[in-house]
Amino acid sequence: MASFDIVSKVDPQTLENAVNTAIKELATRYDLRDTKGGIELNKKENTILLSSENSMRIKALEDILLGRVVKQGIDGTSLDFTAEEQPSGQLIKKTIKVRAGVDKEYGRKIIKAIKDAKVKVEAQMQDDQVRVTSKKIDDLQAAIAVLRKADIGLPLQFVNMKS
């Protein structure tokens, strides 16, 4: 049986480079030069903390970060900007999660997209990835093509292709 795995992950070194260049850009921007706060990467929790005096500057920090992440070759959908801003003293803080792994909701979307395309493959969830198996490699490649066209809302990588 031929198979491959569908995963969603971000290279930690590339992410760190993107955050560091965003911090450098923050220091040189005229409109954000004398602001308190900044951008911090938490590698253990896989989050990025934005902090500034008001929500307008938080929005500017988001734009800087997103631009740098995309320039480093990381898909912009791997960052989760849905968290609310939280006041913390004189600063406003916002925590941005870096998506890693395929959770159950996105796994269901992936499996549904494959089944709707009526490709002769079997897909099943395994922890934080989806395993797709078939008798023919051509069917697996058709499933990959279907998923590349589908709008899942998560950056996908296809790994461990075995025949």
Side-chain angles (χ1 to χ4, degrees), residues 87-102:
S88 173
Q90 294 180 345
L91 296 178
I92 296 175
K93 295 184 177 183
K94 184 171 184 178
T95 304
I96 299 171
K97 293 180 183 177
V98 181
R99 293 181 178 147
V102 178

Side-chain angles (χ1 to χ4, degrees), residues 50-118:
L50 305 178
S51 57
S52 189
E53 291 101 3
N54 57 34
S55 52
M56 182 184 77
R57 289 189 175 159
I58 291 284
K59 197 71 173 156
L61 291 176
E62 285 179 3
D63 292 341
I64 291 171
L65 179 65
L66 186 60
R68 290 300 165 184
V69 163
V70 170
K71 281 187 180 179
Q72 288 286 334
I74 300 172
D75 194 340
T77 58
S78 62
L79 299 179
D80 185 13
F81 289 102
T82 59
E84 293 293 320
E85 299 171 353
Q86 302 142 352
S88 173
Q90 294 180 345
L91 296 178
I92 296 175
K93 295 184 177 183
K94 184 171 184 178
T95 304
I96 299 171
K97 293 180 183 177
V98 181
R99 293 181 178 147
V102 178
D103 61 354
K104 290 183 181 180
E105 175 189 340
Y106 288 109
R108 286 187 198 114
K109 286 183 182 180
I110 291 168
I111 292 170
K112 184 178 183 322
I114 291 172
K115 285 184 179 179
D116 289 347
K118 298 186 179 176

Side-chain angles (χ1 to χ4, degrees), residues 5-163:
D5 296 330
I6 303 169
V7 297
S8 178
K9 58 185 174 183
V10 175
D11 181 35
Q13 184 62 46
T14 308
L15 181 65
E16 185 176 359
N17 291 343
V19 170
N20 288 339
T21 54
I23 291 169
K24 287 179 185 176
E25 182 178 339
L26 176 64
T28 60
R29 287 260 307 248
Y30 180 75
D31 57 339
L32 301 172
R33 185 168 293 159
D34 44 337
T35 62
K36 296 177 183 152
I39 303 172
E40 299 173 29
L41 174 64
N42 187 339
K43 294 179 189 176
K44 290 182 182 175
E45 295 179 12
N46 217 12
T47 59
I48 301 170
L49 179 69
L50 305 178
S51 57
S52 189
E53 291 101 3
N54 57 34
S55 52
M56 182 184 77
R57 289 189 175 159
I58 291 284
K59 197 71 173 156
L61 291 176
E62 285 179 3
D63 292 341
I64 291 171
L65 179 65
L66 186 60
R68 290 300 165 184
V69 163
V70 170
K71 281 187 180 179
Q72 288 286 334
I74 300 172
D75 194 340
T77 58
S78 62
L79 299 179
D80 185 13
F81 289 102
T82 59
E84 293 293 320
E85 299 171 353
Q86 302 142 352
S88 173
Q90 294 180 345
L91 296 178
I92 296 175
K93 295 184 177 183
K94 184 171 184 178
T95 304
I96 299 171
K97 293 180 183 177
V98 181
R99 293 181 178 147
V102 178
D103 61 354
K104 290 183 181 180
E105 175 189 340
Y106 288 109
R108 286 187 198 114
K109 286 183 182 180
I110 291 168
I111 292 170
K112 184 178 183 322
I114 291 172
K115 285 184 179 179
D116 289 347
K118 298 186 179 176
V119 182
K120 294 182 180 181
V121 296
E122 292 182 25
Q124 58 189 5
M125 280 293 298
Q126 292 183 342
D127 295 330
D128 60 347
Q129 65 185 13
V130 176
R131 168 125 334 143
V132 180
T133 58
S134 177
K135 293 181 180 177
K136 297 181 183 177
I137 292 181
D138 294 339
D139 292 336
L140 294 178
Q141 291 173 342
I144 291 173
V146 165
L147 290 173
R148 287 203 171 135
K149 291 179 184 175
D151 183 28
I152 303 296
L154 191 66
L156 301 176
Q157 291 90 29
F158 307 101
V159 296
N160 290 341
M161 179 73 110
K162 297 176 185 175
S163 56

